[in-house]
Amino acid sequence: MELFIDRLTKQYGAKLAVDRFTLKLSKGIYGLLGPNGSGKTTLLRMIADVLRPTSGEITVDGVDIRRLDEAYRDVLGYLPQDFGYYRDFTAIDYLMYLSAVKGLKKNRAEHQTKKLLAFVGLENEAKNKIKSFSGGMRQRLGIAQALLNDPGILILDEPTAGLDPQERIRFRNIISDISENKIVLLSTHIVSDIEYIAGQVIMMKNGELLKQGTVQELAELVMGKVWSFALGAQETEAIKAKHIIANLKHTENGVELRIVADNPPHEKAVSVPPTIEDTYLYYFNEVNAL
Amino acid sequence: MKMMLFYELKKMFNLKKIIICGTSMIALCAIIFFGRASSLNLFENLPDIKQKLNIFSGEITSENMKPILQRYEEIINDPNHYTEVDGERIFTPSAEIRTEMDKFEYILFLHNSINSWPQRMIDRLQENLTDPGITPAQELLIKQNIEMLSKKGNLIVGYNLFYDYYNSFLKNFAPFLLGFLMLFFLAPVFSNEYATKMDGLILSSKHGKKGVIIAKFFAAFIGINAFFILVFGTYILIAGIAVGFSGGQTSFTTTLHDAFQYVNSPYNFTMFQFLLFSLAVSWGACIGFGVFILFISSKIRNTMTVSAISLPVFILPLFFYAVDNSRDEFTGIINFSYGRIMQVAPLIDRFNGFVLLGNVIMLKDVLLILLSVTTGMLAFFTYRSWKKREVAN
């Protein structure tokens, strides 16, 4: 299966949320990386067929998803950023209802519901009302619903938002487990979510495709632009004001700095191997996002 | 589809809501019936009322009425029932005779006023036909009115208290109970999906743009029927058990407490036919209003706003009618509202028609056709509204 996004554009008034975005996806995990407001959610909504593009098209194996209609949504699994639930439904009710909407027969729906609740570790909560669930439990339930129809295309929008570190690791492992023979497109602004599982990373900025490649390839984009050195506390303040700080660590000898910059920020600076986080910082200048 | 329908119903009704609304409706129906019954001292007077309504059963004809008229004349002409006061004869019957006369009162009123009303109307209309300024359309309308009135025949009377209570419930309370139930249960059908942000999940699913709509409509349809059965069924049961169901063959213009309400009606229903007709029309109006609520719900994400828009559409015409129903042009407009159609009376309480391309069109038919067309259109727009829904925020 091949998902092709062709010059996809979404305009709200004068603002271009997604601007002629073109991308070809075949099976594997794709990490969609970008700061808040970069157009990730708008792009994913259009791929999930819940938002109409202003122009451009999305095709699966050459056929427009609008023409495929139900056949497209039959192979689609979608976890929106802020997805809904019915407070008075139990986890089973919720998954059974969405199974029905996804067109699963009753027997298969029951089987999938049971299997997925166990898969996301909610088998003991199956008969509890969702209103009693923690944020992490709800997020796991959201993942379970996205997998009900065993989708060939899985769209996950900021799936780790609100999860604690343990939950995030667990989530990463779940995604890794289910990704076989699927197109998984996972958006995040948290680099570590995709660093270890994404085969390809797509960087998006101001609605446009900025860079695409493997984690290694993207990291290498800033080769020779990542610097490390130690300074005294007073000098550090001056450096911080001028440069993008990737890391800052207070030690007995002063402050160890990791800086992303085109040129050495200090005479003591030595070039170090870059990571994808450095690339993110270099292009988005978003220290707080890390 | 079955599974989807099951969960749509589960979303619409939960046990708590069912218990609260079900018991409230049953209690309200009982309060409405027993409230009216107690204000009229029904149970105390029921034997008398039964006697009064049963004093004559069947078709009112001069022949059939002879014994009653004869007895009445006997009383009137009996000199023993008069006393002389200051040279004047005053009718002073005994309490026993007074009670006997009271029992004749209703049947004589029906005989003298209601039974002969159509003929008097026909005479008046025929006079109007001689007016030189009459237009061809007016002439056609009058002739149609005369033709319908001529078919009315004599009244069929008898004990029909159940239908009287049903009629009063239909006109005064049923629309409100049904309206509130529908608002309470149907307003969240779509808006709640937006409010809970379930729309994104549903619309990205295989049957999320079509199957879900059908399931929601079916669930709403089942709901409306359930409300209808709950409200009318409860009241009919209570009233029927309390006063008996008999009287179905009597004319629908012979209701005890408001015999004039259908006196100008050119239609010729029996009480049972009226019951069936009015239930059907009221049900149709409920479906229409239900679809209207669904339409508003499909457009707005806040359930309270859906209710705030739908409630006045339903209530205001009924309110305005209650405040001022003296102006024909005004009532003519509000008769097109869901609440007034649900009351059924405005459709058939008088001759309401107009001429179109040389044919007389009855307003009743126009209203019912309009109701069907707007309901169909709103259902289509609701479907379109959901299908084309964009999840933007």
Side-chain angles (χ1 to χ4, degrees):
Chain A
M1 197 187 306
E2 186 184 79
L3 181 72
F4 183 49
I5 300 158
D6 186 16
R7 286 164 295 165
L8 205 64
T9 302
K10 183 69 187 179
Q11 192 163 3
Y12 293 108
K15 195 194 169 210
L16 271 171
V18 175
D19 188 8
R20 286 163 294 162
F21 195 96
T22 299
L23 183 68
K24 200 178 269 187
L25 307 166
S26 49
K27 69 176 180 181
I29 301 178
Y30 294 81
L32 182 60
L33 205 57
N36 290 331
S38 59
K40 301 189 301 291
T41 294
T42 304
L43 174 68
L44 295 191
R45 280 176 180 159
M46 287 190 283
I47 299 171
D49 197 21
V50 296
L51 189 64
R52 268 187 301 282
T54 308
S55 64
E57 65 172 5
I58 302 164
T59 59
V60 173
D61 294 334
V63 186
D64 193 318
I65 61 165
R66 297 266 154 191
R67 255 182 67 202
L68 286 169
D69 196 34
E70 283 192 354
Y72 170 65
R73 295 195 301 276
D74 196 22
V75 296
L76 183 72
Y78 175 45
L79 175 64
Q81 185 178 359
D82 187 8
F83 71 97
Y85 60 92
Y86 306 116
R87 288 173 54 81
D88 286 325
F89 269 31
T90 63
I92 288 186
D93 286 338
Y94 183 73
L95 293 184
M96 285 297 285
Y97 171 66
L98 285 167
S99 297
V101 181
K102 285 170 189 277
L104 272 66
K105 299 268 182 247
K106 197 179 175 201
N107 286 344
R108 189 168 167 234
E110 282 168 350
H111 174 258
Q112 284 291 89
T113 295
K114 204 175 162 189
K115 187 180 104 178
L116 288 167
L117 281 173
F119 183 62
V120 296
L122 289 174
E123 65 270 46
N124 296 329
E125 310 292 334
K127 288 180 181 168
N128 290 342
K129 288 192 174 174
I130 305 174
K131 65 181 172 190
S132 67
F133 285 14
S134 67
M137 285 156 78
R138 276 182 211 147
Q139 204 68 13
R140 278 187 271 151
L141 187 65
I143 295 160
Q145 70 73 29
L147 298 173
L148 277 167
N149 53 335
D150 193 16
I153 300 168
L154 186 59
I155 311 293
L156 306 165
D157 191 3
E158 306 262 3
T160 56
L163 297 186
D164 61 35
Q166 202 180 347
E167 295 272 13
R168 274 163 59 185
I169 292 164
R170 184 183 184 133
F171 169 78
R172 274 206 308 254
N173 295 338
I174 289 173
I175 297 303
S176 210
D177 280 346
I178 55 160
S179 64
E180 202 182 356
N181 293 323
K182 283 182 179 34
I183 297 171
V184 180
L185 182 56
L186 186 160
S187 96
T188 186
H189 60 275
I190 302 167
V191 177
S192 58
D193 280 350
I194 52 169
E195 195 172 2
Y196 305 109
I197 59 168
Q200 286 276 309
V201 175
I202 298 138
M203 291 171 77
M204 196 173 175
K205 190 176 184 181
N206 297 331
E208 292 176 14
L209 175 67
L210 189 67
K211 298 282 174 196
Q212 183 188 352
T214 61
V215 170
Q216 189 59 38
E217 284 166 355
L218 291 183
E220 282 171 8
L221 289 173
V222 289
M223 182 67 86
K225 291 173 179 171
V226 184
W227 313 92
S228 180
F229 53 100
L231 284 179
Q234 277 185 339
E235 278 179 292
T236 303
E237 287 307 312
I239 290 283
K240 269 165 74 179
K242 285 184 199 161
H243 297 284
I244 303 165
I245 311 294
N247 198 27
L248 185 149
K249 187 181 170 190
H250 288 271
T251 63
E252 285 175 2
N253 304 323
V255 182
E256 273 181 24
L257 291 163
R258 183 182 175 93
I259 283 177
V260 185
D262 287 323
N263 299 309
H266 194 271
E267 62 217 25
K268 289 184 190 170
V270 288
S271 179
V272 291
T275 66
I276 192 168
E277 278 186 357
D278 299 320
T279 311
Y280 185 96
L281 279 177
Y282 183 80
Y283 285 104
F284 299 127
N285 192 11
E286 291 243 337
V287 179
N288 293 336
L290 292 173
Chain B
M1 178 56 76
K2 255 197 241 168
M3 201 156 79
M4 232 185 316
L5 179 60
F6 171 79
Y7 283 104
E8 286 302 336
L9 284 170
K10 189 168 178 154
K11 278 193 265 174
M12 202 184 291
F13 302 103
N14 61 40
L15 195 62
K16 206 164 134 192
K17 273 185 182 177
I18 291 173
I19 291 171
I20 292 172
C21 288
T23 48
S24 306
M25 282 302 131
I26 292 169
L28 278 172
C29 286
I31 290 167
I32 289 163
F33 175 79
F34 290 108
R36 182 171 179 227
S38 107
S39 72
L40 298 169
N41 292 325
L42 175 75
F43 295 109
E44 211 174 286
N45 297 330
L46 193 58
D48 280 347
I49 295 170
K50 274 188 176 170
Q51 216 177 1
K52 190 162 136 181
L53 294 175
N54 275 327
I55 202 156
F56 174 78
S57 287
E59 187 180 352
I60 293 184
T61 63
S62 304
E63 197 62 32
N64 291 339
M65 292 299 291
K66 257 183 193 165
I68 291 167
L69 290 167
Q70 212 171 347
R71 175 65 190 136
Y72 198 80
E73 273 173 22
E74 266 173 37
I75 295 170
I76 296 288
N77 295 331
D78 188 342
N80 296 326
H81 298 143
Y82 288 86
T83 47
E84 191 110 4
V85 178
D86 298 335
E88 250 186 80
R89 280 180 77 214
I90 296 175
F91 187 60
T92 49
S94 64
E96 200 181 315
I97 292 295
R98 173 71 69 189
T99 311
E100 193 183 349
M101 287 183 79
D102 282 349
K103 284 173 189 163
F104 292 145
E105 187 191 314
Y106 174 63
I107 188 67
L108 288 174
F109 160 72
L110 290 180
H111 172 60
N112 294 330
S113 299
I114 310 291
N115 197 44
S116 54
W117 192 281
Q119 190 50 53
R120 272 184 277 159
M121 281 286 290
I122 290 169
D123 294 345
R124 202 183 306 163
L125 288 166
Q126 264 162 351
E127 252 175 57
N128 292 347
L129 276 178
T130 60
D131 184 343
I134 194 167
T135 64
Q138 284 169 330
E139 190 182 337
L140 203 59
L141 282 173
I142 291 173
K143 282 183 175 168
Q144 174 79 19
N145 196 357
I146 291 172
E147 193 191 328
M148 291 177 83
L149 287 166
S150 324
K151 287 180 187 165
K152 284 196 78 171
N154 286 318
L155 288 180
I156 296 168
V157 299
Y159 174 76
N160 58 12
L161 200 57
F162 161 74
Y163 292 94
D164 186 61
Y165 270 80
Y166 161 76
N167 199 357
S168 157
F169 180 66
L170 173 76
K171 276 189 70 181
N172 299 312
F173 300 102
F176 293 99
L177 300 184
L178 286 165
F180 280 110
L181 272 178
M182 284 193 285
L183 270 176
F184 185 65
F185 283 99
L186 302 185
V189 167
F190 289 100
S191 62
N192 198 44
E193 306 292 9
Y194 310 144
T196 57
K197 296 186 176 172
M198 276 298 291
D199 52 346
L201 288 183
I202 295 172
L203 286 164
S204 63
S205 300
K206 186 181 178 185
H207 297 311
K209 298 195 182 196
K210 196 174 171 188
V212 159
I213 286 272
I214 296 167
K216 281 184 186 297
F217 269 108
F218 259 118
F221 181 73
I222 291 170
I224 292 168
N225 283 308
F227 309 146
F228 199 76
I229 291 168
L230 173 70
V231 169
F232 277 110
T234 307
Y235 189 84
I236 283 173
L237 265 182
I238 294 171
I241 290 167
V243 299
F245 288 100
S246 50
Q249 78 294 347
T250 60
S251 302
F252 88 119
T253 41
T254 63
T255 46
L256 179 64
H257 294 293
D258 188 5
F260 279 105
Q261 71 176 310
Y262 294 115
V263 73
N264 284 323
S265 172
Y267 301 99
N268 195 24
F269 293 115
T270 64
M271 280 293 189
F272 185 67
Q273 285 169 340
F274 172 71
L275 176 97
L276 294 182
F277 174 78
S278 59
L279 282 177
V281 170
S282 204
W283 177 84
C286 282
I287 297 287
F289 184 52
V291 172
F292 176 80
I293 298 171
L294 291 182
F295 170 68
I296 302 293
S297 179
S298 74
K299 292 279 179 198
I300 295 168
R301 68 185 300 162
N302 186 309
T303 302
M304 290 303 286
T305 313
V306 175
S307 301
I309 291 171
S310 306
L311 185 67
V313 168
F314 182 74
I315 288 285
L316 285 182
L318 295 176
F319 173 75
F320 287 137
Y321 182 77
V323 170
D324 179 10
N325 57 22
S326 58
R327 284 176 295 160
D328 277 353
E329 68 283 6
F330 177 65
T331 53
I333 292 168
I334 61 175
N335 281 348
F336 281 83
S337 65
Y338 292 114
R340 290 286 289 150
I341 296 174
M342 230 179 262
Q343 289 179 322
V344 184
L347 277 71
I348 54 166
D349 67 351
R350 67 188 63 202
F351 182 89
N352 262 320
F354 58 93
V355 174
L356 184 72
L357 304 171
N359 295 304
V360 175
I361 312 287
M362 297 306 290
L363 199 72
K364 161 181 76 82
D365 302 327
V366 174
L367 271 170
L368 293 177
I369 290 167
L370 262 179
L371 179 68
S372 311
V373 171
T374 51
T375 302
M377 281 171 65
L378 287 176
F380 172 73
F381 289 136
T382 307
Y383 167 74
R384 214 164 152 262
S385 180
W386 173 261
K387 192 176 158 69
K388 294 199 176 291
R389 166 95 184 153
E390 292 197 48
V391 180
N393 280 304

